[in-house]
Amino acid sequence: LRSLEEICRDVVDHVSDIVYRLEGEGNIVFISEAIRKYRYDPIALVGNNIFDLDIHRTELESKIIEALR
């Protein structure tokens, strides 16, 4: 049987939504391959602050991000 970690990794690698994990101040610890649709390299983004990225956002997403700052 496949481990839970392998199953989760497979889901994250194949879902079209961007999945990410941040540290407390917004630094990217993990970001999925789906970020490539915005022409970002996920490996290059690790360690950067998510609030510094200029990614197309919906109005709702922008409001959420502003509220988190």
Side-chain angles (χ1 to χ4, degrees), residues 20-64:
Y20 59 92
R21 189 172 133 222
L22 306 175
E23 292 178 331
E25 296 297 318
N27 293 328
I28 300 168
V29 176
F30 169 82
I31 193 158
S32 66
E33 289 289 321
I35 193 69
R36 290 188 186 279
K37 66 184 162 188
Y38 296 101
R39 299 187 178 170
Y40 284 97
D41 176 2
I43 295 169
L45 291 177
V46 171
N48 289 289
N49 192 287
I50 198 161
F51 299 116
D52 294 336
L53 302 180
D54 184 28
I55 298 175
H56 172 74
R57 300 181 184 123
T58 65
E59 184 177 344
L60 176 60
E61 289 170 326
S62 294
K63 288 180 181 181
I64 291 169

Side-chain angles (χ1 to χ4, degrees), residues 2-12:
R2 293 173 55 194
S3 72
L4 180 57
E5 182 177 346
E6 290 173 322
I7 293 168
C8 289
R9 171 63 68 180
D10 192 44
V11 169
V12 168

